[in-house]
Amino acid sequence: MALEALTAGTAHGRGSSPAWTASAPGSDPAPSALVAADGPQEALAAAAAGAREQVRRIALSGLPAELRTSAWNALRSTGGDAAIAAWLAPGGGYDAARQRLRDTRTRNRLFCERVVRTHPADFAPGTRTAAERALKGTDADRAAFVKTGYAQAQQSDRTARETVAGEQRAVLERDHAFVRTLAGRDPGEQVRVAAAWAVRPGATDEDVREFYGFGWTSGAALDLEGHRLRTAESEVLRHRTLTLLLKAATGAEEALRTASDVAAARAEAERAWQAVAAHARDSGTAWRAEREHAARQAEAWRDIHALALGATEEMWKRIADPAGANQRSWTEEEQGAAEVAASWQEILRRAQDGETRVRG
């Protein structure tokens, strides 16, 4: 099992004296007395706790249902930490769920769901209705919507809006200018892409109107989904690496207990725990960077929410609720990243304890 090091022997005696205290005063310690018998277990327990917390975060996240349901099944398993380890391991439940996300039928369903979430009925009624109908239909219905139905519904909605003079007058130069600013400065890549398309050479007022109507929120949804998928994938890979490093470190420490060449065994054990510490340190650094990114997103959406609440134009008022929801989502991502960084700090501390322990 790829993560067996996380679950091996997590129970150990508390308050027991170090093994080397059994040596007679003034005598050279035997190799088996060089390290505490239960020393590595705290590092293993910290890693197991981090793995379980990662699976819990996936289960409670806004990730697609395929991942959330699979994570819940692992958490509810009677197998305990071993079930968590198996789910995170290569070829386990996480990989199986990610593979299901690549299925065309799943991708079509997710697209329809995103359209329903991001296309308001008062701005794109035909598109919203067509997406809802596809979701209630068959796989073939959803495939048809993705292939041609979405574009057709969009064009019908655009034609209908072009007859509403009041809505057309709502597109002012300052609205164009704001979209140009987003195209260059927004923290979300997909929002920048959507904004750049709306103000591309040859674009019309209707392109800007559609950006405010659904392009902005669609780009924001893709940015949030992409962030969640990317950070979940990266963290699973980090735990897989941690498993291998912990297996090497605990094995080296165990070998030190019976080594004939104590100096060589000690050096090997030190290097192994140093590798665990370096991985934990790098992982914590990566999560602190993710926290900073999420904080920038939350701040940006907080500012947009405030602008929308104070606006009188219908285009801006329409963005208020999505902006508030995005602010809350990114704030949760920021808080989650801080928690994961703290868990890696604990693993780092345990790894440093291991290095100190084997050094003697």
Side-chain angles (χ1 to χ4, degrees):
M1 181 182 297
L3 295 186
E4 67 272 13
L6 298 185
T7 60
T10 54
H12 61 281
R14 299 289 182 180
S16 56
S17 59
W20 55 80
T21 60
S23 300
S27 65
D28 292 333
S32 61
L34 292 172
V35 293
D38 62 350
Q41 302 309 320
E42 290 186 350
L44 294 172
R52 173 168 286 276
E53 182 59 21
Q54 169 62 10
V55 177
R56 189 190 70 85
R57 279 191 298 272
I58 291 174
L60 294 173
S61 72
L63 287 165
E66 286 77 5
L67 280 168
R68 289 185 284 109
T69 300
S70 183
W72 273 120
N73 289 338
L75 289 169
R76 291 167 176 164
S77 170
T78 58
D81 286 344
I84 297 297
W87 192 80
L88 290 170
Y94 174 82
D95 281 353
R98 280 303 302 260
Q99 184 58 41
R100 288 194 292 275
L101 291 183
R102 299 183 182 97
D103 182 81
T104 300
R105 291 170 298 182
T106 301
R107 292 166 66 90
N108 289 343
R109 190 201 80 232
L110 292 174
F111 178 80
C112 294
E113 290 174 348
R114 189 182 306 114
V115 170
V116 171
R117 290 198 311 271
T118 59
H119 289 57
D122 64 342
F123 182 80
T127 306
R128 172 74 169 266
T129 299
E132 291 173 336
R133 187 183 306 117
L135 277 176
K136 295 175 182 177
T138 64
D139 288 335
D141 293 329
R142 287 182 283 277
F145 177 76
V146 171
K147 185 176 181 180
T148 59
Y150 177 66
Q152 292 170 352
Q154 271 192 314
Q155 184 56 51
S156 296
D157 283 332
R158 173 177 277 218
T159 300
R161 284 192 302 270
E162 287 174 347
T163 65
V164 182
E167 184 75 10
Q168 287 183 331
R169 285 197 300 270
V171 183
L172 305 175
E173 173 52 32
R174 66 176 180 234
D175 299 318
H176 285 265
F178 193 86
V179 178
R180 287 193 292 270
T181 299
L182 290 176
R185 300 182 184 177
D186 192 86
E189 178 184 4
Q190 294 303 319
V191 168
R192 293 196 302 271
V193 169
W197 175 256
V199 294
R200 69 194 184 279
T204 66
D205 281 356
E206 186 59 28
D207 291 301
V208 174
R209 187 178 297 113
E210 287 185 346
F211 174 78
Y212 282 94
F214 59 78
W216 199 350
T217 53
S218 296
L222 288 171
D223 282 327
L224 184 58
E225 291 169 18
H227 171 83
R228 287 169 170 167
L229 284 168
R230 178 178 55 77
T231 54
E233 178 78 7
S234 297
E235 187 67 355
V236 167
L237 294 177
R238 290 188 191 103
H239 276 283
R240 290 176 181 175
T241 299
L242 177 63
T243 297
L244 298 176
L245 293 174
L246 278 174
K247 184 176 182 179
T250 55
E253 184 165 344
E254 179 63 25
L256 176 58
R257 294 170 56 79
T258 57
S260 56
D261 187 342
V262 174
R266 189 193 305 279
E268 178 63 25
E270 284 187 45
R271 285 193 296 270
W273 280 114
Q274 286 168 355
V276 176
H279 179 63
R281 188 180 298 109
D282 290 345
S283 298
T285 298
W287 274 107
R288 284 188 289 274
E290 297 293 359
R291 183 190 63 77
E292 291 172 2
H293 172 69
R296 288 193 298 272
Q297 282 277 19
E299 182 180 8
W301 283 108
R302 181 168 54 250
D303 292 344
I304 292 165
H305 186 233
L307 286 172
L309 289 177
T312 57
E313 299 93 337
E314 190 63 31
M315 285 195 318
W316 270 98
K317 289 193 292 184
R318 193 177 287 118
I319 201 69
D321 286 346
N326 279 316
Q327 178 194 342
R328 291 188 294 273
S329 293
W330 281 107
T331 298
E332 290 174 1
E333 294 298 320
E334 178 187 2
Q335 294 168 346
E339 292 170 0
V340 184
S343 72
W344 280 106
Q345 185 65 28
E346 176 63 14
I347 294 171
L348 170 61
R349 187 173 72 84
R350 298 301 184 183
Q352 291 170 333
D353 288 345
E355 183 183 353
T356 300
R357 187 171 56 247
V358 298
R359 186 180 298 127

